[in-house]
Amino acid sequence: MNYETFFMGVNLMVAIVGVGDTEMGKLPNLTSIELQALAAKKAIADAGMNVGEIDGIISSYTLSEPHPMPSTYLAEYLGLQPEFNTAMQLGGASGCAAVGLAQAVIKAGYCQNVLISFGENRLTGLGREDAIKRLSTFGHPQFEAIYGPTIPSFYALIAKRYLEEFHVTSEDLARVAVLHREHALLHPHAHMKKPISIDDVLTSKWIAEPLHLLDCALISDGGSAIIVTSKENSRSFKKKPIHLLGYGEKTTHEHIFQKDDFRLFGSVESGKKAFKIAGVTPNDIDVALLYDCFTITVLILLEDLGFCQRGEAVSLLKEGKLKLGGKLPVNPHGGLLSHGQPGTAGGLNHVIEAVRQLRHEADKRQVADANLALVHGNGGVMSVQSTLILGRDSR
């Protein structure tokens, strides 16, 4: 039995009933575990539940405060003795993948209320230079790392290939960064609070050509948490439950030198799986939360997930269709490029924004009549792809 057939016969109906986040940016005197705990307590309060009702925990790794058993550490810090706990190690795909895992363990009967809490003081605990050095471990030790590449340089290879094939320019990439900054200015917790122009992006320093500094995700401090429970349990919480309608995941490689085609990634398959399980199409989506570790990934994911044809993402951007008020608003919170990127919590922030949009709690950045959201996570160097379809109503 293949993946799609299996999940089409399974009730995927779990729901997110609580969300919580801290401010993003420079948060001195807060450790990673404290940021995770603060976000967790906000999510628990948002759900209107007691901390003792949590019987499952999914945490994640941090670079600034590494721990061999991060989920157990968080459980102890919160005073919990859960019946299930584990930690995600899928980079930027971890947030969406954690939701997929939560539904699996709830359906298996291992636990009822799963807390997913990620957070890191990556900015004040490491700083930009040390964070980039730690991330250099993504390179293969024998075949990549010896040449001194960084994560931005790996993504620059992908960007270069895309720009050449589709005649996209650095100015087009800059439009992605400007769009995200415009959206972030509407979010009270955003790391970046000043507008930028296309010229600002193009005159920011080169990180790895064709990527400038402002084409790259931020290094931030922050914490994010959500609570997942069964559809049946979700009715007992105070906020409107947001339902998981579809989930897809695909891993194609770990090291980019093993990828034989820089034009096709696992996001094509993860998206198709999620849409098939949910029984909807890209045209049905009201708001998209796309993993934006670099400006180039937004363009690639729009195409891989079926929102447009190959090479057409820039047209959506230029026509204003990705802005608030457009046909498909992308990352209304400002994404990793402007809202913040505190490690794996950055991807979980995309899930939180989707929940707030579907609850109609997004204030000035609210997408009108948002009923369906797509959230996509990308881990490694386009290595692991995870896609969620979330709905205001169950199906």
Side-chain angles (χ1 to χ4, degrees):
M1 183 180 291
N2 65 27
Y3 183 101
E4 292 94 333
T5 303
F6 176 75
F7 276 107
M8 285 298 285
V10 173
N11 180 6
L12 265 191
M13 290 304 169
V14 295
I16 299 171
V17 294
V19 298
D21 59 336
T22 69
E23 290 187 9
M24 301 289 136
K26 190 173 185 179
L27 306 175
N29 304 318
L30 286 172
T31 65
S32 295
I33 193 69
E34 287 173 327
L35 289 164
Q36 293 167 29
L38 284 170
K41 289 182 177 180
K42 288 185 176 184
I44 291 167
D46 183 63
M49 64 192 303
N50 298 318
V51 66
E53 295 178 78
I54 299 294
D55 58 357
I57 290 181
I58 302 176
S59 184
S60 187
Y61 66 93
T62 68
L63 300 180
S64 60
E65 191 180 338
H67 192 282
M69 299 170 65
S71 58
T72 305
Y73 184 22
L74 178 60
E76 180 183 69
Y77 195 89
L78 293 172
L80 295 173
Q81 297 180 1
E83 297 177 20
F84 174 86
N85 85 89
T86 193
M88 302 300 298
Q89 299 275 0
L90 296 179
S94 296
C96 291
V99 178
L101 177 60
Q103 67 85 21
V105 298
I106 289 170
K107 287 301 174 185
Y110 296 153
C111 51
Q112 293 186 339
N113 302 314
V114 177
L115 167 68
I116 302 170
S117 186
F118 300 168
E120 184 170 359
N121 62 335
R122 187 169 288 189
L123 179 58
T124 58
L126 288 177
R128 184 185 297 162
E129 289 188 13
D130 283 348
I132 294 298
K133 287 179 182 177
R134 299 284 180 93
L135 289 169
S136 66
T137 57
F138 276 90
H140 191 287
Q142 281 80 44
F143 302 111
E144 291 177 329
I146 57 174
Y147 299 106
T150 61
I151 288 287
S153 67
F154 288 135
Y155 274 91
L157 296 174
I158 296 169
K160 194 73 172 177
R161 179 71 177 82
Y162 183 94
L163 266 60
E164 289 179 354
E165 179 171 0
F166 298 114
H167 307 291
V168 173
T169 67
S170 291
E171 182 175 336
D172 294 325
L173 292 182
R175 293 177 191 274
V176 177
V178 172
L179 170 72
H180 282 69
R181 185 62 58 89
E182 289 175 355
H183 289 173
L185 295 178
L186 301 175
H187 197 298
H189 286 175
H191 186 161
M192 290 298 173
K193 305 181 186 300
K194 295 181 179 180
I196 56 172
S197 65
I198 290 175
D199 284 344
D200 290 331
V201 180
L202 296 179
T203 57
S204 64
K205 69 178 182 179
W206 287 114
I207 299 299
E209 192 177 354
L211 302 174
H212 294 85
L213 176 64
L214 294 179
D215 286 303
C216 306
L218 299 167
I219 303 294
S220 309
D221 300 333
S224 307
I226 67 174
I227 295 168
V228 182
T229 192
S230 67
K231 176 184 176 181
E232 294 74 20
N233 287 343
S234 69
R235 300 187 183 101
S236 63
F237 295 99
K238 71 176 185 179
K239 291 290 184 76
K240 180 173 179 61
I242 300 303
H243 301 275
L244 174 62
L245 304 180
Y247 177 67
E249 183 178 317
K250 183 68 175 181
T251 299
T252 53
H253 62 282
E254 163 59 9
H255 301 102
I256 193 63
F257 84 96
Q258 294 277 33
K259 190 75 175 68
D260 57 358
D261 191 338
F262 282 9
R263 298 170 298 176
L264 295 173
F265 298 99
S267 35
V268 174
E269 293 184 53
S270 70
K272 286 180 179 178
K273 290 174 182 176
F275 280 120
K276 185 171 184 178
I277 294 167
V280 300
T281 71
N283 287 333
D284 297 317
I285 299 299
D286 299 308
V287 57
L289 287 301
L290 306 180
Y291 200 80
D292 54 313
C293 48
F294 300 92
T295 50
I296 185 61
T297 63
V298 176
L299 302 181
I300 290 172
L301 292 174
L302 282 165
E303 296 168 8
D304 281 3
L305 293 167
F307 292 111
C308 59
Q309 297 299 312
R310 296 284 179 193
E312 293 182 357
V314 169
S315 295
L316 295 182
L317 187 66
K318 289 180 176 179
E319 293 166 8
K321 293 181 179 179
L322 308 182
K323 292 185 176 183
L324 285 167
K327 181 181 179 181
L328 181 72
V330 168
N331 297 344
H333 65 316
L336 310 178
L337 290 166
S338 281
H339 177 260
Q341 219 287 39
T344 55
L348 195 58
N349 279 335
H350 285 62
V351 180
I352 290 174
E353 179 65 13
V355 170
R356 288 180 172 148
Q357 288 288 341
L358 296 178
R359 284 179 174 176
H360 300 171
E361 294 179 345
D363 197 24
K364 295 178 181 179
R365 61 187 192 282
Q366 180 64 52
V367 174
D369 301 320
N371 290 305
L372 283 174
L374 177 142
V375 190
H376 186 86
N378 157 47
V381 186
M382 299 297 289
S383 308
V384 184
Q385 307 297 327
S386 54
T387 310
L388 303 174
I389 307 292
L390 300 177
R392 180 175 171 84
D393 300 309
S394 62
R395 289 173 179 260

